Amino acid sequence: MAARATLSPGSSPPMSSSLAGINDGVSVTLSPDAVPFSPLAPGDREEMGSVAGQFSHYASKLRSLRAGDPASLKTQLNLLFDQLISENYSPNHNIRPEEVCALLIHVTRLVPLSQEHLVVKLCQLTHHLLNQLQVIVDEQTLDVCVCYVVRALAVCSLWTHSEVLQALSTLIYGNGPRCNRHLIELLGDGGVLRLYSDPSQPDMELRRAALTCMANLCLGVPGQASLEDPYRSVCFRVFLQTLQSPKPPDAEELLYCTVIQGAVKGLQSSLCGGKWRFGGQEELGALLAVLKRLMFQGCPGVCVEWPSVLYPAPLPQYETCSTPKPPEPPQNPPTQTSGNKKKKSRGRGRKGGGEDEERDAEPRLQRGGRGGEAWSKTSVLPSPGVLSLYPLWKRSSSDSEFSDPEGAAHSKLRLFHGRVRQGVLLCLLAVVKAVEKRTLYGYWSSFIPDAPIGGPPPLTLLTVVLKDPSPKVRACALQVVSALLDGSRQFLGVAEDLAPARTSYTPFSFSLATAVRELHRSLSLALLAEASAHTLTQIIKCLAHLVCNAPYNRLRPGLLSPLWRQIQPYLRHRDVNVRVSVLTLYGALVSTQAPLSEIQLLLTHTSQEMGLSWRQREGFSSPHTPPSHKYHNSHTPRGSHTPGEEEPGVPWLLQLCVSLVTQPRDDQSDSEGPGGGGATALEPSPVRLEALQVLAHLVRGYFPLCQACLCELGQVSARCLRETDPSIQLHGAKLLEELGTGIIQQYRPDNSQSESCRVPISQVVQFWVDVLSGPLNGALQSHQHPTLQTSACDTLSSILPQAFTQLPEKSQVLCVTVLLGLTYSDNSLVKAAAVRALGVYILFPCLREDVMFVADTANAILTALDDRSPNVRSKAAWSLGNLTDTLIVNMGCVGEVFQEELSDMLVLQMLQSATKAAFDKDRVKSNAVRALGNLLHFLSVSQLTRPGFQRPLEEAVSALVTTVQSEATMKVRWNACYALGNAFRNPALPLDSASWSGDAFSALCCVVTSCQNFKVRIKSAAALSVPACRHCYGDAARFGHVWRSLAAALEHSEETQDFLEYRYCSSLRHTLTHTLTHLLRLSQSQDMPALGMSLVMEEGRGFKEHLVKYLRGEGGTDGGRRGGGTDGGRGGGTEGMGETEGGRGETEGERERKGEERVRTLGETLERLRSLCVDGEEDGDEGRDGGEEERSAFVVVAFLEDVLRSCEELKVSHSD
């Protein structure tokens, strides 16, 4: 393989058919008729005034050349190539890609492969033009040029190959999928790139160039197909093999760094934009192991036995540092000096900062010494009890210790090592994004310290964050940590350290909790030491990801308070991005698991010490202090009072954000771009937007603390809506929506907050009067900004129903009229929001009884149900479900008067539209079936007898039956089951005689026994208990089928393949038992054979056990009594869920009263069945069937007597 890599010019390997005929002009004698090169004519000088003109001139000269005198042609080509290469181009120059492609095709026909110097210049020209003009060649040019360079690699001398490979890499950049004809020559067995990228290739420059070519082949272009998987896998193995191979002993370190960079770039290109598809756990572990090793490339003192493969949850010995060797006499005096300087400054680092931050950490964490001194130049590690908190780059050696040439070489080597580490971390970031989250969880301990166990500190990403001298590398490491943390809430949710620590073993939950604490500690140290604004931004963003995903309600308090205080000074940082990231972190703090008692305490703290850091209190200025002294008090409260002293009870963070949004800055930095000039200029737009988002998070999570400023926040929102920036307007509207939602949450029936602590209704009414008379109307009519209109509609839907009733009539009319009009908007987002808002309004008590409003809303919803947008149809179906809920409520409140006033034609249209929507997408279907159930419940006798309703009725029931039996999502199916039960509540429906009733009962019986989802089974069992009369169940055969299905379902109620379903077992058994008891209460003599046969079998014994528990009030509560649910607490239903478990929320007395009522009802059933037995004895002359009914009735009576007797015995035993 190495011999092939050093081919001589005379050895020509066999070429494929794709190369046949290329450059045929090389062997043709050049004609003397070729146009000779001539100097510029005076008339051409104006045309040459621009770069594009010069390019066109020289390109036309080249295109005019033909085969001619070899010596003359060579001279002209040399001159023209030099002229074109000497120019500096940019994409802004008016040079069309077609001209470049035509030129390249032409010159490949002019330059023979025997003229190696011209071949090199042609390759340089190709790279120069395509790289500077950023041209991706077309398919024809790609084919011709790639054939040319591949043949050049086979024919030309080795000294030319570096330039040829550089041209090849430029040609195939972004063209990997279009190189299919050449992939075999390039990447097949014996392919030229495979040969030159092989670790045995002695020429490191050729290896680097070949790896760059392979990386460009793997590079994906958005919107285009990627390289085929087999060839991508070949490249991946080559890249991984390159990284795993040791550095050749005779290779220069700088060249080796470029080879590593090429392989890392190739890996990144292979992974970007797609999922992991390069093998299983072994390949992933090998890649992670080599990336972790190269994360510390060029770092002094890293003496670690690196594993070749990382496995999930690696053992501690994989991370163990080697035994320190005795110090040897130094061979490099400057290195020894550097090491001594680091030792001297170690104590100062400990003294300078970090002790306060360490007090909250556990002793084990302090002993662990995460991040320690692994990068000390000598291999002597600090003792476990000594922890250096000062990062390495703060203690770097002086440049004066090196001579000039020595210093330049060291600087260049450090630069290259830093680029390698940066590229490796970017590649690791691509791996994290490509691999499934749950797969990566097993490797967390290799990159994030989990549980300090003493001994030398491990080398992790946090070591890079704390110790790497390059701010770019530190920023990349922080991006990787952020990517690992992003979306890890489910994984980190297991963490817990509230319980006392165990001495026998360490639970996984405790290890995760320790990892969270270690992340807090390390990032806090990094925040103290960082001086680079970009890296500082990444640290704060990483902390925000940590705060969003860590389960602080399961961790000991004390993690958030130091962080809250530590980031406060950075609100005055000169860099806008830093200030924005700080606000993002505050938003994460007030939104994570809100409300947290620790955050509540921080928000309500009124001490002057709260607003100042420990440095400011002591008048201390350190390198850690944000480098802005002019902006020291720009947004601290005016005067000498803190916000808490000026306005007691108002969170200082709220006042800060209001100040950032509304008040002009005292001064501006010169790095903020637009909006930074002038004494009255406001904060930059990103800062104001982030402050508005923090306000929204604060209102959402801690509304009781913000409600005192309700009117002031309303004024802030109004001010934002009056501005011209659509983004500011949008966030102002969202803040209004959050305020409205917070008020609604206070008035929810299940809110335990006392009435005196709520915002008074009068104040709520005045708030909305001010809002509706302000700039919100302009936002609702802002047709040029549909997103703002959408948010304004959401704001209208967040009005408290009790307050809406007391609004002035003109305000009510305004809201309704605007929303009805916006349902006909051309923008789907606006239309969806308006339809949803109407779905909220239809539940308002003051509107739901207005027949005209109900009719107008129904017409708007029906129109939206036919919209092309799935989102509009989904919102319309939800609103239709709410509207039909209103119809059912009005049946009970208003009575038949409302049914008579509502148009029969409108009801028919709603029934037909809901039936049609029941066959739409699942998110439409889930609410369409809910609406169908309500409509079937609402139909009156007069409507059911009309011929126009017969077919729509059958189609509606058929749609529900089909949905119950379909493979739709479980939410859709349990809503369909509930809808059938809702329809059964209509006494006017002919359940005993209708042709569709048999299908409805059969579908429910099938689901209750066979569905894997217990919620669906609960809903189907509850639906079967709805019919109130025996005749609704049909004949004895259908009644017996229902009974047997329920009994079988109860017998197998614990059988499931999904462990998560076990939490619904109690609810399922309770509902099944309730339904069977209901059937017993309705049963007649003709039903006795089926019941008696079932009770004497095995399922009868199981039914007895569950019936005894049911009668005593044990087990779950009925899961099918309620329907609907809410959309964010604002009214309306989506799911029809009502299951609860284990009698949750019931007191012992309530359970006893329910049990007594059930026993009484069962006793009445027993007495009725006894009378059936007596009647059967009196009619003793009946036939055989009558005798069987009598015997079965005795079996049922005996069963019930046994059940009641068992209940009495248990009651007596418990009383004793």
Side-chain angles (χ1 to χ4, degrees):
M1 186 174 292
R4 174 67 184 277
T6 56
L7 293 173
S8 63
S11 60
S12 177
M15 306 300 291
S16 70
S17 59
S18 65
L19 300 178
I22 186 66
N23 208 9
D24 293 337
V26 173
S27 60
V28 178
T29 303
L30 298 177
S31 170
D33 299 330
V35 178
F37 177 77
S38 59
L40 287 176
D44 296 334
R45 298 191 184 276
E46 292 184 3
E47 182 185 354
M48 294 291 294
S50 65
V51 175
Q54 292 176 4
F55 174 83
S56 299
H57 176 79
Y58 294 129
S60 63
K61 291 286 186 182
L62 276 173
R63 287 194 296 269
S64 66
L65 295 178
R66 296 293 183 271
D69 179 55
S72 173
L73 182 62
K74 179 179 179 181
T75 301
Q76 295 178 58
L77 287 174
N78 266 310
L79 290 172
L80 290 172
F81 284 170
D82 289 341
Q83 290 286 352
L84 287 169
I85 293 173
S86 65
E87 294 292 341
N88 289 322
Y89 304 100
S90 76
N92 296 327
H93 293 145
N94 191 21
I95 300 176
R96 294 185 298 117
E98 294 81 3
E99 297 180 22
V100 178
C101 293
L103 176 65
L104 293 180
I105 291 177
H106 184 70
V107 294
T108 55
R109 295 169 180 161
L110 292 178
V111 179
L113 295 177
S114 59
Q115 298 291 334
E116 293 185 347
H117 284 86
L118 283 178
V119 171
V120 169
K121 285 194 175 183
L122 171 59
C123 292
Q124 291 174 348
L125 176 65
T126 302
H127 172 73
H128 186 69
L129 290 176
L130 299 183
N131 186 48
Q132 291 200 352
L133 292 173
Q134 297 182 14
V135 173
I136 296 180
V137 298
D138 56 41
E139 196 162 354
Q140 179 188 3
T141 308
L142 178 70
D143 187 47
V144 172
C145 294
V146 170
C147 288
Y148 182 87
V149 297
V150 170
R151 189 171 183 189
L153 289 171
V155 172
C156 297
S157 301
L158 187 62
W159 69 272
T160 67
H161 289 188
S162 178
E163 300 289 348
V164 176
L165 286 173
Q166 185 183 46
L168 177 62
S169 69
T170 313
L171 285 164
I172 62 181
Y173 181 86
N175 271 318
R178 295 196 287 180
C179 292
N180 291 330
R181 285 188 57 196
H182 314 285
L183 290 178
I184 295 179
E185 289 82 20
L186 298 175
L187 297 176
D189 294 336
V192 61
L193 295 182
R194 295 277 294 275
L195 293 175
Y196 284 135
S197 62
D198 192 270
S200 61
Q201 169 60 245
D203 192 328
M204 302 296 284
E205 181 61 30
L206 288 181
R207 280 184 69 186
R208 182 203 62 78
L211 289 169
T212 302
C213 290
M214 298 174 74
N216 289 351
L217 275 174
C218 295
L219 184 66
V221 178
Q224 295 185 13
S226 58
L227 188 66
E228 296 177 2
D229 284 349
Y231 292 108
R232 185 182 289 267
S233 298
V234 168
C235 295
F236 174 81
R237 289 194 296 270
V238 170
F239 298 142
L240 183 59
Q241 186 182 14
T242 301
L243 297 180
Q244 290 174 327
S245 302
K247 181 174 80 71
D250 56 343
E252 294 184 13
E253 184 69 23
L254 291 179
L255 283 177
Y256 179 68
C257 286
T258 60
V259 172
I260 295 299
Q261 282 181 267
V264 168
K265 179 183 176 183
L267 280 173
Q268 189 177 352
S269 300
S270 302
L271 293 167
C272 283
K275 296 298 183 182
W276 174 266
R277 49 176 180 266
F278 300 109
Q281 188 181 91
E282 193 74 18
E283 288 78 5
L284 178 60
L287 175 60
L288 293 176
V290 72
L291 290 179
K292 182 174 182 180
R293 173 173 62 85
L294 293 172
M295 276 166 39
F296 303 95
Q297 175 75 13
C299 298
V302 179
C303 303
V304 178
E305 297 176 1
W306 298 102
S308 59
V309 180
L310 289 181
Y311 295 99
L315 298 176
Q317 58 263 32
Y318 285 157
E319 304 287 326
T320 302
C321 296
S322 59
T323 305
K325 299 178 181 179
E328 298 179 358
Q331 297 179 355
N332 191 343
T335 302
Q336 183 65 35
T337 304
S338 175
N340 289 336
K341 288 181 73 66
K342 292 177 184 177
K343 286 184 179 180
K344 290 178 182 179
S345 63
R346 185 179 306 162
R348 290 199 302 271
R350 286 182 60 235
K351 188 176 180 180
E355 293 183 1
D356 291 343
E357 285 74 14
E358 290 299 303
R359 289 193 187 119
D360 293 332
E362 296 185 46
R364 289 185 63 184
L365 292 181
Q366 296 175 359
R367 291 198 302 271
R370 291 294 185 180
E373 292 299 318
W375 288 13
S376 174
K377 183 60 182 176
T378 63
S379 59
V380 179
L381 295 170
S383 61
V386 177
L387 178 62
S388 177
L389 305 180
Y390 212 69
L392 183 66
W393 68 88
K394 295 289 184 184
R395 296 177 276 137
S396 59
S397 59
S398 171
D399 290 338
S400 63
E401 297 171 0
F402 300 97
S403 63
D404 288 342
E406 218 177 17
H410 278 81
S411 297
K412 189 172 183 180
L413 185 58
R414 284 198 301 269
L415 176 65
F416 274 62
H417 281 153
R419 288 176 178 173
V420 169
R421 297 196 299 273
Q422 183 179 357
V424 167
L425 288 166
L426 290 175
C427 183
L428 181 58
L429 179 63
V431 173
V432 171
K433 292 181 178 180
V435 179
E436 190 179 359
K437 285 286 184 184
R438 63 178 59 190
T439 303
L440 282 176
Y441 291 153
Y443 299 94
W444 265 49
S445 57
S446 297
F447 296 95
I448 294 178
D450 52 358
I453 54 176
L459 299 176
T460 64
L461 285 168
L462 297 182
T463 313
V464 179
V465 171
L466 289 169
K467 296 297 179 181
D468 199 288
S470 169
K472 292 183 179 180
V473 176
R474 299 196 297 271
C476 290
L478 288 162
Q479 289 180 18
V480 179
V481 177
S482 296
L484 286 171
L485 290 171
D486 188 24
S488 62
R489 185 176 303 172
Q490 184 177 4
F491 174 65
L492 290 179
V494 182
E496 184 177 11
D497 62 358
L498 293 174
R502 301 175 184 269
T503 56
S504 58
Y505 71 97
T506 302
F508 178 65
S509 59
F510 186 82
S511 297
L512 268 184
T514 308
V516 172
R517 293 186 175 276
E518 184 65 14
L519 280 165
H520 268 277
R521 189 190 71 90
S522 300
L523 293 174
S524 176
L525 295 178
L527 188 65
L528 284 172
E530 191 56 63
S532 167
H534 174 67
T535 311
L536 190 61
T537 302
Q538 293 299 326
I539 294 173
I540 300 173
K541 287 182 178 179
C542 189
L543 282 166
H545 280 102
L546 174 61
V547 169
C548 287
N549 291 279
Y552 295 100
N553 53 350
R554 296 167 57 91
L555 302 176
R556 293 196 311 275
L559 282 176
L560 298 179
S561 299
L563 176 61
W564 183 281
R565 298 183 177 94
Q566 186 181 5
I567 64 174
Q568 208 167 27
Y570 295 94
L571 287 166
R572 298 179 294 275
H573 200 281
R574 291 182 62 86
D575 190 271
V576 176
N577 294 322
V578 174
R579 300 208 299 275
V580 170
S581 61
V582 171
L583 289 171
T584 303
L585 179 51
Y586 272 122
L589 285 167
V590 297
S591 61
T592 182
Q593 294 120 39
L596 287 175
S597 57
E598 187 175 0
I599 297 296
Q600 283 181 321
L601 182 62
L602 292 168
L603 286 170
T604 56
H605 205 293
T606 59
S607 170
Q608 173 71 19
E609 301 295 312
M610 186 65 197
L612 299 176
S613 68
W614 59 273
R615 301 185 203 86
Q616 294 166 320
R617 293 199 305 270
E618 298 173 358
F620 178 80
S621 178
S622 73
H624 312 129
T625 306
S628 174
H629 302 288
K630 290 197 308 176
Y631 193 52
H632 182 77
N633 289 318
S634 175
H635 280 293
T636 53
R638 304 297 190 262
S640 60
H641 298 282
T642 63
E645 291 171 337
E646 292 178 352
E647 297 181 32
V650 177
W652 70 267
L653 182 60
L654 185 148
Q655 293 193 58
L656 170 72
C657 292
V658 170
S659 174
L660 291 172
V661 173
T662 61
Q663 296 183 12
R665 293 195 53 194
D666 293 341
D667 59 359
Q668 288 80 35
S669 67
D670 54 2
S671 63
E672 295 174 353
T680 60
L682 296 172
E683 281 281 351
S685 182
V687 176
R688 300 181 68 209
L689 290 174
E690 200 64 39
L692 284 169
Q693 292 194 51
V694 175
L695 283 175
H697 291 312
L698 193 58
V699 170
R700 184 185 305 124
Y702 299 88
F703 183 78
L705 299 180
C706 305
Q707 68 184 50
C709 301
L710 180 63
C711 294
E712 290 78 3
L713 290 174
Q715 293 171 5
V716 171
S717 300
R719 171 172 178 160
C720 293
L721 287 170
R722 290 190 185 97
E723 297 194 16
T724 56
D725 187 349
S727 299
I728 298 292
Q729 291 177 314
L730 176 64
H731 284 78
K734 289 186 177 294
L735 178 57
L736 274 180
E737 181 188 356
E738 292 298 340
L739 290 169
T741 304
I743 296 171
I744 290 176
Q745 296 293 336
Q746 281 193 335
Y747 281 86
R748 285 173 61 95
D750 55 353
N751 193 322
S752 58
Q753 192 173 14
S754 63
E755 188 171 350
S756 59
C757 296
R758 299 175 183 174
V759 181
I761 289 290
S762 58
Q763 185 179 351
V764 178
V765 172
Q766 185 59 46
F767 170 79
W768 283 113
V769 168
D770 295 340
V771 168
L772 294 175
S773 60
L776 185 63
N777 296 332
L780 289 166
Q781 300 172 21
S782 180
H783 301 291
Q784 67 273 24
H785 300 301
T787 307
L788 178 59
Q789 278 187 295
T790 301
S791 184
C793 290
D794 293 338
T795 301
L796 288 185
S797 69
S798 64
I799 300 178
L800 182 69
Q802 296 92 315
F804 187 89
T805 306
Q806 299 182 27
L807 287 177
E809 185 178 357
K810 63 176 183 179
S811 298
Q812 297 184 11
V813 172
L814 170 67
C815 295
V816 172
T817 305
V818 169
L819 291 176
L820 286 171
L822 289 177
T823 58
Y824 297 96
S825 171
D826 295 332
N827 186 278
S828 60
L829 292 176
V830 177
K831 184 184 295 187
V835 169
R836 181 196 168 277
L838 287 175
V840 174
Y841 278 24
I842 198 66
L843 299 175
F844 287 3
C846 63
L847 294 177
R848 68 187 179 202
E849 297 179 7
D850 186 341
V851 177
M852 295 303 298
F853 174 74
V854 172
D856 291 341
T857 302
N859 287 320
I861 292 172
L862 295 179
T863 302
L865 270 177
D866 291 329
D867 195 84
R868 292 181 303 174
S869 169
N871 185 44
V872 174
R873 298 198 303 273
S874 174
K875 299 298 183 184
W878 179 81
S879 296
L880 182 61
N882 285 5
L883 188 148
T884 54
D885 286 343
T886 296
L887 300 183
I888 303 302
V889 173
N890 287 340
M891 284 177 61
C893 297
V894 184
E896 297 181 359
V897 176
F898 184 85
Q899 287 180 287
E900 295 172 356
E901 291 182 353
L902 194 63
S903 168
D904 289 351
M905 185 57 65
L906 182 59
V907 174
L908 182 60
Q909 289 177 354
M910 287 192 288
L911 186 65
Q912 292 173 333
S913 295
T915 303
K916 179 182 177 182
F919 296 96
D920 205 332
K921 298 179 181 295
D922 279 357
R923 57 177 178 167
V924 180
K925 186 185 302 184
S926 62
N927 286 292
V929 295
R930 180 167 68 98
L932 278 178
N934 285 329
L935 288 169
L936 292 174
H937 184 187
F938 180 76
L939 293 176
S940 63
V941 177
S942 61
Q943 291 169 336
L944 290 173
T945 55
R946 291 181 57 182
F949 277 84
Q950 295 302 316
R951 184 173 180 83
L953 173 63
E954 295 176 1
E955 291 175 349
V957 176
S958 176
L960 291 178
V961 170
T962 302
T963 305
V964 168
Q965 297 175 326
S966 68
E967 296 299 324
T969 58
M970 296 305 167
K971 183 174 73 172
V972 174
R973 296 182 69 184
W974 78 59
N975 268 5
C977 292
Y978 179 83
L980 280 177
N982 201 2
F984 290 168
R985 299 181 191 277
N986 189 346
L989 285 179
L991 293 180
D992 55 341
S993 59
S995 58
W996 45 261
S997 62
D999 296 335
F1001 280 105
S1002 297
L1004 292 172
C1005 290
C1006 178
V1007 167
V1008 80
T1009 56
S1010 61
C1011 186
Q1012 295 297 320
N1013 186 276
F1014 277 15
K1015 290 184 182 179
V1016 177
R1017 297 171 71 175
I1018 290 169
K1019 293 301 176 187
S1020 59
L1024 289 172
S1025 69
V1026 169
C1029 301
R1030 169 62 187 85
H1031 68 85
C1032 296
Y1033 288 93
D1035 57 14
R1038 184 189 298 174
F1039 187 90
H1041 176 59
V1042 173
W1043 174 274
R1044 288 190 298 272
S1045 300
L1046 292 167
L1050 183 61
E1051 183 182 7
H1052 303 287
S1053 58
E1054 296 185 359
E1055 298 176 7
T1056 179
Q1057 298 177 354
D1058 188 355
F1059 178 77
L1060 296 177
E1061 295 297 326
Y1062 278 110
R1063 55 184 169 171
Y1064 302 113
C1065 274
S1066 176
S1067 225
L1068 174 61
R1069 289 193 294 266
H1070 174 90
T1071 307
L1072 289 169
T1073 307
H1074 169 78
T1075 306
L1076 287 169
T1077 307
H1078 175 72
L1079 292 179
L1080 276 173
R1081 186 171 60 84
L1082 299 180
S1083 60
Q1084 299 295 329
S1085 57
Q1086 66 268 25
D1087 306 318
M1088 292 299 109
L1091 271 61
M1093 184 180 300
S1094 173
L1095 293 176
V1096 297
M1097 299 174 64
E1098 183 65 28
E1099 60 189 27
R1101 288 189 286 273
F1103 176 46
K1104 175 186 174 182
E1105 176 185 350
H1106 295 302
L1107 183 55
V1108 171
K1109 293 181 179 179
Y1110 172 79
L1111 295 176
R1112 300 187 66 249
E1114 299 177 6
T1117 58
D1118 187 5
R1121 297 291 183 86
R1122 295 180 312 200
T1126 62
D1127 177 47
R1130 299 173 190 167
T1134 58
E1135 297 179 352
M1137 293 174 55
E1139 71 281 351
T1140 57
E1141 294 181 64
R1144 184 172 51 199
E1146 293 181 351
T1147 64
E1148 186 67 28
E1150 290 174 342
R1151 285 196 294 271
E1152 289 182 1
R1153 284 193 296 274
K1154 283 187 176 181
E1156 292 174 357
E1157 177 65 23
R1158 292 166 184 170
V1159 170
R1160 186 184 62 79
T1161 302
L1162 189 66
E1164 294 175 355
T1165 301
L1166 177 61
E1167 293 300 325
R1168 186 180 62 83
L1169 293 179
R1170 283 174 176 166
S1171 65
L1172 289 179
C1173 295
V1174 173
D1175 294 341
E1177 291 178 354
E1178 294 177 354
D1179 301 334
D1181 55 346
E1182 290 186 1
R1184 187 183 60 184
D1185 292 342
E1188 184 178 355
E1189 292 176 0
E1190 181 184 346
R1191 289 191 296 273
S1192 300
F1194 279 114
V1195 170
V1196 175
V1197 168
F1199 174 83
L1200 294 180
E1201 290 174 345
D1202 191 19
V1203 168
L1204 292 175
R1205 189 163 46 251
S1206 299
C1207 289
E1208 288 296 328
E1209 292 173 355
L1210 287 173
K1211 185 177 181 180
V1212 171
S1213 62
H1214 280 286
S1215 62
D1216 293 341

